[in-house]
Amino acid sequence: MRLSFFFLVFCSMLHAQSDNWVEQTQLFRDINPYETGGYIFEDGSFQLTKGNYRFKFDKQGVVQNLLTQEIIEQEVPLEQRSSGCSAFDLVNNVRYTLADNIIHVERMFPDRKNEYRAIPLEKQEHVVKSVWDQYSNNSNHVDAGIITSVKGKIILYQTYFAISVNTHPGKFKPKGINTYMRLSIVNLEDYSVSYEYLLIDVFNPAYGKKKEVLDFFDFKCIGTNAKQELLFSISKTSFKDRDAPPLSLSDYKGVDYCKSGIDIWTVNLNDYSQKKVYSTIIESNKNAASVSLNFGNDGWLLSWTEHREDYYTFHTRSFQIDTDYDVQETVIHFPSKEFRLEKFQTPNLRVYKDLNGKEWFCSAIPGSPAIYMLDQNSQLKVFGNELLKWDLNKHFVLSNAEMLCLPCLKELSAEDIHLLSDLPEAISPGTPHTRILKLRKAGNSVLVLHLESLDHTTETGVARIRQLFLKTGKINL
């Protein structure tokens, strides 16, 4: 019995220690709270950053001074400025970042210093987002992303408009400006890079002169499938205000009509062949008061609001394409009794999966803390959120497969809420402060890194850290 009692007391002490706040002001004073970065390892230890410096902490939040290091990333000339993106490989604790035509690779370790490598890419010229900027020397890609799911390599995709004779002379025959994709394939054994340039010739002359209409095309990657194919959408969408006079600039907040022609293409990531697998036209509801169209998550979402007597209701149509290229449509109507909007604008909508793979459509009423979660069968869950203040736009749980929403994963206990919303004694609830939550799924748990900073505001209105506190913990799923 003594041994059992000692074991219980020891466990209780460990739990209390993990729940205690640790002050780390000295390392991060006077920087913006969001510049601290943050990455959690599977053992619960973590890393924070300050500019070029990397600081390692054990799972109790104690800094490991011998592991502190400075990493100076390789810079590029001004003429190589380009769009950027980033991705994590959580299995190997690697962060890939595209910035200014260089892929920065940082492999992170919990118990030793990180490894850094810079991979310069071939220079691109006259690559633009807009056909009206066709002679620019900048590389302004329409869309870019990094694929980490292919064994032994990473693949960077970039879509853009270009005149081929200027950007990649001799590669393609079509004249004038067209839509292209560049694939940069990095071999992770020796970090060599090979390239594939693809012409996605989607222009339909029935729309009019190419230069006049090509800017209306949206060219976006929407995911990858089990066949190791990159899915991307080519869409030409018309948004307008039904009451606006012809040829006038419509107030974007008043857009109440949408019609979009959508083609879905695939690029095989093994032989880089391409094909069109689906084509459709969608149109918004005639009763819509406000409309939005978003691509991603292997499909697209058409959302709208409708006017009632003294409020607005919220609806969405979800389209997802499977590995056989069949599109499944789900229509979601948020229940008007619980979800009533005072204004006509469509609220933010996010789609997340729970632990069983079920999809939940998540939204919030502006000005209300609650999160409303609706599944495909119209089952509604409401998360109070008064204490936690979970933000669907910036809070998420990192996992090996995708980003997750914590309120979708489990019914949070009072202890869970306390871990995520508690404040150190030095910060009173009414004092200006910044809360940062870093969460990572590891097995059947979610590892938590909770940072709270007491801030002061500069003359330019930027928040800076006056005091910084952190604590760690774990939420069992």
Side-chain angles (χ1 to χ4, degrees):
M1 290 297 294
R2 282 189 178 180
L3 180 60
S4 299
F5 176 75
F6 174 79
F7 179 74
L8 289 172
V9 172
F10 180 69
C11 289
S12 176
M13 289 174 63
L14 280 180
H15 176 77
Q17 185 179 13
S18 66
D19 193 49
N20 287 340
W21 289 97
V22 179
E23 184 172 0
Q24 293 291 356
T25 303
Q26 198 63 34
L27 294 176
F28 302 100
R29 192 190 305 274
D30 287 331
I31 70 167
N32 187 291
Y34 293 102
E35 293 177 1
T36 55
Y39 183 83
I40 309 175
F41 297 99
E42 280 195 308
D43 64 358
S45 61
F46 59 94
Q47 169 184 292
L48 295 177
T49 63
K50 179 183 178 182
N52 295 330
Y53 287 92
R54 310 293 189 263
F55 300 97
K56 302 286 178 64
F57 300 81
D58 66 17
K59 58 185 179 182
Q60 277 78 39
V62 179
V63 65
Q64 305 298 292
N65 290 314
L66 294 178
L67 300 181
T68 299
Q69 72 181 122
E70 183 181 18
I71 293 179
I72 300 177
E73 296 184 347
Q74 181 174 328
E75 296 183 355
V76 305
L78 289 176
E79 64 268 18
Q80 285 287 287
R81 300 300 182 191
S82 68
S83 52
C85 59
S86 62
F88 284 98
D89 174 359
L90 294 186
V91 175
N92 298 299
N93 294 318
V94 183
R95 177 172 57 204
Y96 301 99
T97 304
L98 170 69
D100 299 333
N101 216 37
I102 290 179
I103 298 178
H104 303 274
V105 182
E106 185 173 351
R107 185 166 188 177
M108 298 168 284
F109 300 93
D111 54 359
R112 60 189 175 94
K113 294 182 178 181
N114 297 349
E115 297 174 357
Y116 169 77
R117 179 185 294 267
I119 306 173
L121 302 178
E122 284 184 354
K123 182 180 178 181
Q124 282 193 295
E125 294 182 339
H126 309 293
V127 170
V128 296
K129 291 181 180 179
S130 168
V131 297
W132 303 107
D133 195 25
Q134 61 183 293
Y135 298 110
S136 168
N137 282 322
N138 293 326
S139 295
N140 295 317
H141 299 91
V142 177
D143 192 22
I146 299 172
I147 301 167
T148 63
S149 58
V150 181
K151 186 177 180 180
K153 64 180 74 171
I154 61 166
I155 300 175
L156 165 69
Y157 65 84
Q158 296 166 297
T159 64
Y160 54 93
F161 296 132
I163 297 176
S164 187
V165 69
N166 293 336
T167 303
H168 18 62
K171 287 186 180 293
F172 302 102
K173 292 183 179 179
K175 296 181 179 180
I177 195 159
N178 286 283
T179 310
Y180 297 91
M181 175 184 289
R182 179 172 84 162
L183 300 177
S184 305
I185 304 101
V186 180
N187 185 322
L188 294 179
E189 289 186 3
D190 58 8
Y191 293 98
S192 60
V193 186
S194 58
Y195 300 90
E196 293 288 337
Y197 292 87
L198 306 176
L199 164 65
I200 315 295
D201 195 4
V202 298
F203 176 70
N204 185 344
Y207 292 139
K209 293 181 179 180
K210 183 180 292 187
K211 184 170 180 178
E212 294 176 358
V213 301
L214 200 55
D215 246 5
F216 293 107
F217 281 92
D218 191 21
F219 189 19
K220 185 173 180 63
C221 173
I222 61 173
T224 56
N225 61 21
K227 298 178 181 178
Q228 288 201 337
E229 292 176 324
L230 174 64
L231 302 170
F232 60 94
S233 62
I234 305 286
S235 60
K236 179 179 181 293
T237 304
S238 171
F239 289 104
K240 65 180 182 180
D241 180 349
R242 281 189 291 258
D243 298 326
L247 303 178
S248 67
L249 292 175
S250 175
D251 177 1
Y252 285 109
K253 294 182 179 180
V255 170
D256 56 12
Y257 174 79
C258 166
K259 185 174 182 180
S260 182
I262 300 172
D263 293 332
I264 303 298
W265 289 65
T266 65
V267 171
N268 188 297
L269 296 177
N270 295 309
D271 61 15
Y272 309 111
S273 59
Q274 57 183 286
K275 60 183 177 182
K276 183 167 73 172
V277 297
Y278 183 79
S279 185
T280 189
I281 295 176
I282 61 172
E283 191 171 6
S284 61
N285 189 295
K286 65 179 180 180
N287 296 322
S290 179
V291 177
S292 66
L293 177 64
N294 298 294
F295 291 85
N297 294 327
D298 301 331
W300 55 98
L301 290 169
L302 178 64
S303 303
W304 72 97
T305 59
E306 293 184 14
H307 184 250
R308 295 294 185 262
E309 294 179 359
D310 57 352
Y311 64 93
Y312 294 87
T313 57
F314 184 44
H315 317 264
T316 190
R317 294 168 65 192
S318 169
F319 302 85
Q320 284 196 303
I321 187 166
D322 61 25
T323 52
D324 295 322
Y325 314 123
D326 295 323
V327 171
Q328 308 296 325
E329 179 181 354
T330 303
V331 181
I332 297 293
H333 302 286
F334 279 77
S336 59
K337 182 179 179 181
E338 293 85 359
F339 198 94
R340 293 190 174 196
L341 298 168
E342 295 183 359
K343 297 182 179 181
F344 62 87
Q345 287 91 350
T346 54
N348 291 320
L349 179 67
R350 297 289 184 269
V351 183
Y352 291 102
K353 292 181 180 178
D354 62 17
L355 294 175
N356 298 316
K358 179 195 284 190
E359 287 192 334
W360 291 90
F361 295 80
C362 306
S363 189
I365 298 173
S368 169
I371 294 176
Y372 296 81
M373 299 171 282
L374 207 63
D375 70 2
Q376 295 177 337
N377 299 316
S378 297
Q379 176 186 349
L380 177 66
K381 294 196 301 183
V382 181
F383 175 64
N385 205 29
E386 289 85 0
L387 291 175
L388 180 54
K389 295 180 173 56
W390 184 270
D391 191 324
L392 291 170
N393 293 320
K394 65 181 182 181
H395 291 150
F396 54 85
V397 180
L398 277 177
S399 76
N400 293 343
E402 58 194 325
M403 291 189 295
L404 303 171
C405 174
L406 186 59
C408 294
L409 298 181
K410 66 167 294 186
E411 193 78 29
L412 295 173
S413 67
E415 186 179 1
D416 297 334
I417 298 292
H418 177 76
L419 171 63
L420 298 165
S421 63
D422 184 29
L423 285 174
E425 291 184 1
I427 302 179
S428 60
T431 306
H433 67 279
T434 300
R435 173 181 298 163
I436 297 176
L437 297 175
K438 296 294 181 180
L439 308 171
R440 172 176 177 166
K441 185 176 181 295
N444 294 321
S445 302
V446 171
L447 304 176
V448 177
L449 171 59
H450 181 178
L451 293 89
E452 293 282 352
S453 69
L454 183 64
D455 302 331
H456 67 91
T457 305
T458 65
E459 294 180 356
T460 57
V462 178
R464 299 291 183 187
I465 292 174
R466 178 175 292 161
Q467 286 182 282
L468 179 70
F469 303 87
L470 58 86
K471 70 174 179 177
T472 60
K474 182 172 68 173
I475 294 175
N476 294 322
L477 298 175

